[in-house]
Amino acid sequence: MIHGVFPVIEAIEHSAAPIRATRPSNVTDGHVRSIVNLTRAMEAALSRGDRVTALLGLATLRDVQVCHFAREERAMEALEGYDTARHAHEHQALLSGLYAIQGAIVAGNLARLTDQVAAYLNRASRHAVEHDVPLSECLYAG
C-alpha cells in the first residue's frame, strides 16, 4: 500500500475540473495545498526508506501540476492581451524543478529532498501569487 499518497487523489480530481471564474482566487484554491500534501508524503516515504512510494508521490505531483497548468493555459488563451507565453514559461520552469526533487529521492538523501522541496514550495507559492492570482482576477473580471 502507498502510504500518504492516496489522500491527494482529491487534488487530482480538483485539478481536472474546468476553471470557473467565480471569485479571484479560484485558480489557486487547493492547488498549493495539494503540492504541500504531496511533498510531505514524499518526505515521509523517504524518511522510512521507501523510495518507490516517494517516486510515486513525485509522479503524482507531476501529474497534478501538468493537469493544473493545462487548465490554466486553456483559460489564458481566452484572455485578450494576457501574457500567456510568460506564464506558460513559468509552468515549464516549475516542471523542470521536479528533476532536483527526483535526484534527491533516487539518492535516498532526505536532507537534500527537504531542501529541494522547500525551494520548490517557495517557487510554487511565488508563482501562485505573481501569476495565478492575477490570472484569476482577469478571469473574474472577464
Side-chain angles (χ1 to χ4, degrees), residues 107-127:
N109 188 329
L110 183 58
R112 187 168 131 208
L113 176 62
T114 299
D115 290 345
Q116 294 299 328
V117 162
Y120 193 82
L121 290 174
N122 184 22
R123 181 154 193 178
S125 298
R126 194 172 65 246
H127 173 85

Side-chain angles (χ1 to χ4, degrees), residues 42-92:
M42 287 185 284
E43 289 176 311
L46 193 59
S47 72
R48 295 188 310 272
D50 187 353
R51 291 182 193 169
V52 172
T53 298
L55 287 169
L56 287 171
L58 178 62
T60 303
L61 175 58
R62 184 194 64 241
D63 292 347
V64 166
Q65 292 288 66
V66 166
C67 186
H68 178 77
F69 295 160
R71 287 178 54 235
E72 281 187 4
E73 290 169 18
R74 281 192 308 272
M76 287 185 269
E77 291 171 1
L79 295 173
E80 188 175 319
Y82 189 82
D83 192 354
T84 303
R86 182 172 172 247
H87 195 142
H89 175 69
E90 285 294 316
H91 289 165
Q92 290 308 309

